[in-house]
Every structure is written in structure tokens, then in C-alpha cells.
Amino acid sequence: MAAVLIFLQIGTGLLLKFVYVPTPLGAYKSILVLSHSVMFGRLLRNIHHWGANFLVLIIFLHMLRVFFTGAFHPPRQFTWVVGLGLFSLVLTANFTGYLLPYDQLAYWAVTVSTGMLEYIPVVGGLLQEIIRGGNEIGPATLNIFFAIHTAVVPMGLIILMAFHFWRIRKAGGLVIPKAPGEEIEERPNRVPTMPNLLLRELVVTVVIIAVVMLVSVSFDAPLGNSANPGLSPNPTKAPWYFAGPQELLLHLHPVFAVFIIPLVLGVALMGIPYMKYDTDAAGVWFVSVKGRRITLIAAVIVIIAAPMGILADEFLIDFVARLHGVPAIIGNGVIPFALIFLGCAGFYILIKHRYSATSSEVVQAIFVLILFVFLILTITGIWFRGPGMKLTWPF
Ligand code: HEM
Ligand code: HEM
């Protein structure tokens, strides 16, 4: 599905390029022309828009499937790392594409998110200037984003995707599913690719294209007013796939939310396949029966604790910090970070001693903790934040 959607993006993207004009004055107008005067123009834009959204969702699910079946274990470690590279490229594609219509949504979301780069120590300012092509969002930014979006990203995607598939074949195909503790010597029941696999892939292709088509004829891609640097909308929200990090930023000092946590998580994600594991869990869903139970416990803990944490931070903790005159980097950075770390350590001790968890089960449990925190932050950011980014009800 991910591969089909990428080819769909490249196909529709190439067609969009015939009409799209990458200048601040021309961009918005060209989207209007596309939507109103070009035959099937609006449908084309809708397919590109919804395809991009589905792609993020499907890659995320693919990553979860790979993780929870332990398909990152040898010899598939590097396939996982290449996958992470693909994920970053797709996020880059979405982020750079977001600016292209040059409407209010685009202008302000990109202003706010590139503004965050300032908080990266030492190189942040320079990085921001390079990405924006100057001090603020303008013609140079649009030019840079357009070049990255329509040349660098597609080239990178094609190369990495080929590499991904080659690695999968080098590893002897997909991981063999097995029950906990079962030893499998040989690949069972081989069948010819044609027609067995090909037919299934064809069905998947047709179904995913049909779904994207159905959504695209039913819902138009959003388009705000033309970009106005003098008028910022309230609230200025990031696109939904960045709602989690944006929500985190409301709770933690930017140095932690923008730099330290993403860095730690990125390194940890890449390191997952290279850790030392004491059991062979490749191909077993959730490692073991016990692993499944621990995973469930981790999820329940976060589902209860994370919303409480968000509420406490909204109504209690900031108040305490202000009351005692604690510097922001400590009150909103070091203290909550230490609390999160202690929480994880406490959980580690619990599952290690109470359940004598193996290293695979421990890594899986911590992954689930972080995954659910991320999901809850994302849900809160998308549906429970209103004007001034205050907590509100979604309806
Ligand atoms: C994984 C691949 C890609 C993703 C995820 C992606 C994503 C996006 C997104 C989210 C937008 C904004 C759409 C909107 O809401 O208005 C966009 C616009 C655009 N994309 Fe892509 N894109 C991809 C590949 C490509 C390629 C390969 C090209 C061309 C070679 C391309 C050309 C364009 C153009 C011209 C626009 C501006 C028109 C518009 O905004 O509707 N895209 N893209
Ligand atoms: C554009 C993004 C991606 C595309 C097109 C893609 C495509 C594929 C395909 C077609 C397969 C074989 C079928 C399957 O296992 O479902 C596969 C397997 C795999 N992918 Fe991806 N993938 C992408 C992203 C990722 C990501 C984000 C990760 C992990 C971080 C990842 C890690 C893996 C691994 C480890 C395998 C081997 C699975 C196994 O042997 O069971 N991929 N990928």
C-alpha cells in the first residue's frame, strides 16, 4: 500500500507541476486555476492531498507491524533503518508540500514550525536561515521547498525504496510467523510468486486506489485565504501528523521538546535492532504471551496517566513554577523530563521483577509506553486544543 501510494504521489505530483507556479504571487492563484478551470484539476489535487495523508498513516501502521512481529531482528536490522529513512522522507514530502498552496494555513504552519529550529543549540539559527532561505518565509523559502518537494524527495524515495526491497529479498523474504517458542528450520509451503503474490498485490493496489478516489471525490483538500504575513490565525496548528510534537511543546521547554527528546527518540528507534536480545522473537506477535500482557499493562498505564499529566500541567504545574520563580528551563524542562525518566525507570523495575521480563519484552513495553504517550499527545493536539491552544472540547 505504501509503495502504491508513493507511485500515486509521484504520478499526480508530476501532473500538478504543469499548472503549479512556485512563487508567492503565483502559487495560490495557480491552485485556484487548478481547482476551477482545469479539467479534473480539483480531483488531481484532492488525490495528491489525501494520498499524502493516507501514506503517513499506512507507513506508521507498517512500522508497528514490523516492530510487533520482531521483524527488525537479524538479518533485517538494516531494513528497519532504511525504513526509518523512508519515513523521514515521507514526512519531509508532507512538510514541504504543505507550504506549496501558499494559503494562510501553509504560511503560518511553516512559520511556526521553522521558528522552532531556533531552539536547537549552536546550529539552530543557521539551520533555520538555510531552510527558510533568509530570515522569514518568502519567495526563497517557496523555491527551496518546491525543489526539495519535487526533486530531492522523489529521487530519495525511489532510491531508498529500491534499497528497502533489495534488503527484504536479501533477508530471504518476510519474517516467518511462528508461535512463541516454536523452532522453524525451513521456510514452509513455498508457492510461485505468479499468480499467488501478484494477484494479492493487485487486489491491494486496486483497493487502496479505490479508497483514495472515493475520499477525493467526496472531500476537497482544504484551502484557506491567500497567505497574509500580517495576520496570524488563532490557533496556528501544525498538520495532524505533527500535532503530537506541537502538543509536547506546550508542556516542555522547547530545548527538550524540539531537540533533546526527538534526538533521544530518533537514536533509540534506530538502535532498536542493534540491542542485545536474549530470546529469538523474530516472527512472533508481541514476543510472547507474557509480552502481550505486559504490552497491555503499559498501554493502560499511559491511557490513564498521560491525560492526567496533561490536565495537571494545564492547571497545576505551571502555576507552581511561576509561584516559586523557578527558571523555565528547570520548571518546564529538567523537572518534567526527570519525572518522565523516573516513571519509565519505575515501570522497568516493575516488569523486570514482577514479571521477570526478557529484554525483548522490556524493549517492547518501553516502546508501547512511548507510542501511547505520542498517540495521546496527538489526539489532544488535534481535537482538544482551541483558540490560544487552551484545552477545549472537540465539539
Ligand atoms: C511521497 C510523496 C509526496 C507527498 C507525501 C506529497 C505531499 C504533498 C502535500 C501534502 C501537498 C499539499 C497539498 C495540498 O493540500 O494542497 C503537496 C503539494 C504538491 N506536490 Fe506533492 N507530495 C509528494 C510527491 C510529489 C512529487 C513527486 C511531485 C512532483 C514531482 C509533487 C508535486 C506537488 C505540487 C506541484 C504540489 C502543489 C499543488 C498543491 O498544493 O495541490 N509532489 N504534496
Ligand atoms: C515509504 C515507506 C515504506 C515502504 C514503501 C515500505 C515497503 C515495504 C514492503 C513492501 C515490505 C514487504 C511487505 C511487508 O512486510 O509488509 C516491507 C518490509 C519491511 N519494512 Fe518497510 N516500507 C516502508 C517503510 C518502513 C518503515 C518506516 C520501517 C521501519 C521503521 C520499515 C521496515 C521494514 C522491515 C523491517 C521489513 C521486513 C519485514 C519482514 O521481514 O517481515 N519499512 N516494507
Side-chain angles (χ1 to χ4, degrees), residues 11-229:
T12 48
L14 284 174
L15 288 174
L16 286 170
K17 265 177 88 103
F18 282 91
V19 179
Y20 181 77
V21 180
T23 62
L25 287 179
Y28 187 75
K29 234 186 272 169
S30 67
I31 300 287
L32 290 181
V33 169
L34 183 75
S35 306
H36 300 295
S37 321
V38 176
M39 196 188 280
F40 294 123
R42 186 183 310 195
L43 180 65
L44 194 64
R45 173 164 185 251
N46 291 352
I47 295 174
H48 200 74
H49 174 88
W50 294 117
N53 285 284
F54 276 116
L55 186 56
V56 176
L57 204 67
I58 280 170
I59 298 181
F60 187 65
L61 293 177
H62 170 56
M63 185 176 85
L64 294 188
R65 194 289 284 168
V66 166
F67 180 81
F68 287 117
T69 53
F72 54 81
H73 286 296
R76 298 181 179 77
Q77 303 103 311
F78 202 60
T79 317
W80 169 270
V81 176
V82 176
L84 288 177
L86 280 165
F87 208 152
S88 324
L89 273 177
V90 167
L91 287 181
T92 308
N94 269 291
F95 180 63
T96 49
Y98 205 77
L99 180 69
L100 299 186
Y102 221 68
D103 58 349
Q104 277 287 72
L105 279 172
Y107 184 88
W108 287 100
V110 173
T111 300
V112 170
S113 35
T114 51
M116 298 303 150
L117 293 172
E118 254 175 52
Y119 294 102
I120 297 179
V122 191
V123 292
L126 182 68
L127 202 64
Q128 187 190 57
E129 212 175 306
I130 291 175
I131 289 179
R132 287 183 174 175
N135 289 328
E136 46 192 55
I137 308 291
T141 325
L142 195 53
N143 205 23
I144 291 172
F145 275 46
F146 186 65
I148 294 178
H149 189 83
T150 61
V152 179
V153 166
M155 214 163 63
L157 278 174
I158 288 172
I159 293 171
L160 272 196
M161 220 158 56
F163 195 46
H164 198 57
F165 296 161
W166 178 69
R167 293 296 320 173
I168 295 163
R169 298 211 48 139
K170 272 280 279 189
L174 298 191
V175 76
I176 308 174
K178 59 181 179 186
E182 189 185 354
E183 292 286 335
I184 296 176
E185 298 293 319
E186 264 182 57
R187 185 161 275 266
N189 301 337
R190 283 188 163 227
V191 291
T193 305
M194 269 210 290
N196 296 282
L197 176 64
L198 199 73
L199 214 72
R200 283 167 173 76
E201 287 181 339
L202 253 169
V203 171
V204 166
T205 304
V206 171
V207 168
I208 185 75
I209 290 180
V211 171
V212 174
M213 273 299 207
L214 199 69
V215 175
S216 300
V217 290
S218 312
F219 304 99
D220 281 339
L223 186 68
N225 291 324
S226 174
N228 180 353

Side-chain angles (χ1 to χ4, degrees), residues 287-324:
V287 181
S288 59
V289 178
K290 188 168 58 178
R292 200 166 49 198
R293 185 154 5 114
I294 299 174
T295 299
L296 205 67
I297 295 172
V300 170
I301 290 178
V302 176
I303 289 173
I304 296 169
M308 279 167 54
I310 291 173
L311 285 170
D313 187 33
E314 183 94 350
F315 300 113
L316 279 172
I317 298 172
D318 264 1
F319 176 64
V320 173
R322 230 172 286 139
L323 200 70
H324 299 295

Side-chain angles (χ1 to χ4, degrees), residues 294 347-348 351-352 357-367:
I294 299 174
F347 181 70
Y348 172 77
I351 53 174
K352 199 77 197 162
T358 63
S359 51
S360 287
E361 287 157 357
V362 168
V363 168
Q364 177 175 262
I366 305 272
F367 181 90

